[in-house]
Amino acid sequence: MPSFQKHFFSLLALAIATVSAVQNIKVQGSDYVNNVTSDRFQIIGIAYQPGGSAGFKAGSGIDPLSNGTLCLRDAALMQRLGINTIRVYNLDPSLDHDMCASIFNAVGIYMLLDVNSPLPNESLNPGDLTSSYNSAYLNRIFAVVEAFKNFPNTLGFFSGNEVIQFPGSQTNVPPYLRAVTRDLKNYIAKNSPRNIPVGYSAADVRDFLGDTFAYLSCHIDGSTSDVSRIDFFGLNSYSWCGDVDFQRAGYDVLVQMFANTTIPVFFSEYGCNEVEPRIWTEVLALYGPNMTTVMSGGIVYEYVQEKNNFGLVDVHDDGTATILIDYDNLQKQYNKLDIEQLQSGNSSAATLMSPRCSSDLIAESDFSKTFRIPSIPSGGQDLIDNGIDNPNIGKLVPVTETAVKANVYGSNGGLIKDLAIKALPEDQSNAPNGQDTTGSTSASPSGTSSGAEASSTSGAGTTGINLLLSIIALGVFSISHA
């Protein structure tokens, strides 16, 4: 075969390989399972919100999934770490997320996405529920669905995060959370090519936690098709601090609380930093036999180092980054996991039936016991029936650039050489694989910390595609079959 033919087919294979899609993950009873292989899916996740909530600004043209260059860098480090899921809190549904979502898809990493934001009118206001629950708010959260519904690695949407937290919120907020969940699920059913689960992320406020779970996960009137019921439940838990154990961290209490769950339950945040550096001994407990019969994994808080000192990676304004010791320690714990065992089925997962909603499920006297869900606001049903106007619908695009161009340094100050993503077959999600991410030379980053603003590669896939088109245009080959 002539050399130019070999070059053409190499490029074509690369383009095809990096557009391949991961398999969808579905909810099956209290488990996540691969829609094709039926393997159980345990979340090995990380919170991904560069800049924090303060870094999200309307009209800036930037959100965590809008810059392909930064996503490529971070996906490469997450792939080495063993991450299979990211949680992203604040998104601008008007932006182009195609490259970032495609990069994470290529490396077998799923996305859990919050539909709300801290901006005015983009979340429920616990102090003014009736006014904040309106058609403009629904238009915003439906726009997030439109932006991510076509990505196969979209694992689910959070309808709320820690909305029930402060005294008084437990009385009025719960019915509205069920209303938002209902509206999201109805919109997905009408406007998405596949079912995408919708759930809630709760604060670990033990006075409210059990009642929040019971209220949101039961079936009203005993109907198994009740769309106001959440599909999964996340818990933001920071009770394991330092080198404690299962009992002292209160994990035994959590396992008992959720023992009869009929939906997936997982830590939507974890990683107490009261003792530093973090040594992550909770990882072996979370993915061990005492918890995997009930829990579906967890999401480490967080990827990017911010002022709160929870980060695993310090990113710099020139696009370079430095791994922190917490990353190394977490990687060592992940590498001890038995992934094959984690993927094995849970025989009891699909056998339990969710309870019918009743006041008997609620323990605290001041927690809402009414299951009368607010009606959809004026104009909301039209959005569901006809879709929002001018949606920005995301799509997978080729990922032809795999090498990270910016320098990334290990916690020892050494430069990490040959950092790149590795596209996985479409039947695989990412998993810990025994890698070490130590820098190899004595070097140090030159950038300053935080808020990386490196140039975007929203067109990162265009180089290879343009070359393919050029070859075809020159008449080198004629491709007659797709």
Side-chain angles (χ1 to χ4, degrees):
M1 180 181 290
S3 60
F4 65 83
Q5 291 181 342
K6 292 180 181 179
H7 184 60
F8 175 87
F9 284 115
S10 296
L11 286 171
L12 183 61
L14 174 62
I16 292 173
T18 52
V19 179
S20 295
V22 297
Q23 307 290 5
N24 300 147
I25 300 296
K26 66 179 181 180
V27 170
Q28 182 172 292
S30 61
D31 276 349
Y32 286 112
V33 298
N34 185 295
N35 198 40
V36 175
T37 67
S38 295
D39 287 342
R40 190 182 186 193
F41 180 80
Q42 284 269 312
I43 293 172
I44 303 174
I46 196 162
Y48 186 54
Q49 191 66 40
S53 60
F56 179 69
K57 297 180 176 63
S60 67
I62 298 171
D63 74 9
L65 297 178
S66 63
N67 188 315
T69 299
L70 301 185
C71 287
L72 180 67
R73 176 198 67 195
D74 298 338
L77 290 175
M78 291 181 197
Q79 189 174 34
R80 287 193 175 202
L81 182 58
I83 296 298
N84 66 19
T85 305
I86 57 172
R87 178 184 180 179
V88 187
Y89 297 81
N90 303 318
L91 291 158
D92 182 344
S94 70
L95 299 181
D96 182 353
H97 304 106
D98 293 353
M99 181 53 63
C100 281
S102 299
I103 288 170
F104 285 113
N105 168 79
V107 298
I109 293 177
Y110 292 83
M111 303 180 294
L112 276 168
L113 309 167
D114 288 66
V115 298
N116 301 285
S117 93
L119 300 180
N121 304 315
E122 295 192 355
S123 62
L124 286 179
N125 179 355
D128 191 6
L129 290 164
T130 55
S131 295
S132 60
Y133 178 53
N134 55 48
S135 60
Y137 166 66
L138 291 182
N139 193 92
R140 183 262 160 15
I141 65 175
F142 295 163
V144 176
V145 172
E146 291 286 357
F148 291 93
K149 68 182 184 181
N150 283 343
F151 296 120
N153 56 328
T154 296
L155 181 58
F157 297 106
F158 285 110
S159 59
N161 177 59
E162 297 190 346
V163 189
I164 303 172
Q165 179 177 183
F166 302 108
S169 61
Q170 77 275 22
T171 304
N172 299 319
V173 169
Y176 282 87
L177 286 176
R178 288 196 72 127
V180 173
T181 299
R182 171 200 64 201
D183 300 342
L184 279 168
K185 291 172 73 171
N186 280 336
Y187 191 88
I188 290 168
K190 186 79 173 181
N191 298 282
S192 173
R194 66 178 176 95
N195 180 51
I196 302 173
V198 176
Y200 178 69
S201 176
D204 190 2
V205 180
R206 297 297 168 95
D207 289 345
F208 307 151
L209 184 60
D211 287 344
T212 300
F213 173 73
Y215 186 96
L216 297 177
S217 63
C218 62
H219 279 122
I220 296 176
D221 298 328
S223 172
T224 57
S225 60
D226 178 11
V227 291
S228 72
R229 174 181 181 258
I230 56 173
D231 297 315
F232 59 85
F233 186 79
L235 166 63
N236 299 338
S237 178
Y238 295 88
S239 61
W240 190 301
C241 298
D243 192 16
V244 295
D245 58 29
F246 189 74
Q247 286 74 26
R248 283 192 290 164
Y251 278 24
D252 56 335
V253 176
L254 294 176
V255 168
Q256 184 177 7
M257 181 181 295
F258 300 116
N260 294 319
T261 182
T262 57
I263 58 175
V265 177
F266 58 91
F267 286 155
S268 43
E269 292 176 9
Y270 76 96
C272 171
N273 67 350
E274 291 180 7
V275 179
E276 296 180 333
R278 291 179 286 182
I279 56 176
W280 304 107
T281 49
E282 67 264 48
V283 165
L284 295 183
L286 178 59
Y287 298 99
N290 287 332
M291 297 192 76
T292 53
T293 55
V294 174
M295 305 286 286
S296 293
I299 296 172
V300 163
Y301 193 81
E302 63 180 320
Y303 179 78
V304 174
Q305 177 75 316
E306 307 290 351
K307 291 180 180 179
N308 57 16
N309 208 33
F310 279 95
L312 302 187
V313 178
D314 197 7
V315 300
H316 308 290
D317 55 5
D318 59 355
T320 62
T322 303
I323 287 174
L324 303 176
I325 190 64
D326 282 9
Y327 177 107
D328 294 338
N329 291 343
L330 181 60
Q331 188 174 48
K332 290 173 184 176
Q333 296 292 348
Y334 278 161
N335 285 339
K336 298 175 185 177
L337 299 180
D338 185 341
I339 301 303
E340 185 175 343
Q341 178 62 36
L342 291 177
Q343 291 177 338
S344 61
N346 180 3
S347 60
S348 64
T351 61
L352 297 173
M353 295 295 293
S354 61
R356 178 172 178 166
C357 297
S358 75
S359 59
D360 294 340
L361 296 176
I362 308 303
E364 297 296 324
S365 60
D366 56 354
F367 199 96
S368 177
K369 294 183 175 62
T370 176
F371 292 93
R372 293 188 298 273
I373 309 304
S375 299
I376 191 169
S378 175
Q381 192 59 49
D382 181 67
L383 295 175
I384 291 174
D385 292 340
N386 301 303
I388 63 171
D389 291 337
N390 302 314
N392 177 33
I393 302 175
K395 64 183 182 304
L396 284 182
V397 295
V399 181
T400 56
E401 292 186 12
T402 59
V404 176
K405 295 180 179 179
N407 287 341
V408 178
Y409 302 88
S411 61
N412 63 351
L415 180 67
I416 299 172
K417 293 184 177 180
D418 303 320
L419 182 62
I421 62 169
K422 178 183 178 182
L424 299 180
E426 55 184 47
D427 62 341
Q428 289 185 16
S429 58
N430 196 43
N433 55 19
Q435 286 200 57
D436 181 291
T437 315
T438 304
S440 59
T441 63
S442 180
S444 60
S446 58
T448 57
S449 295
S450 116
E453 299 283 346
S455 61
S456 170
T457 56
S458 58
T462 58
T463 303
I465 295 299
N466 287 340
L467 181 56
L468 290 177
L469 293 176
S470 298
I471 295 172
I472 294 170
L474 289 170
V476 177
F477 287 105
S478 175
I479 301 177
S480 57
H481 298 285

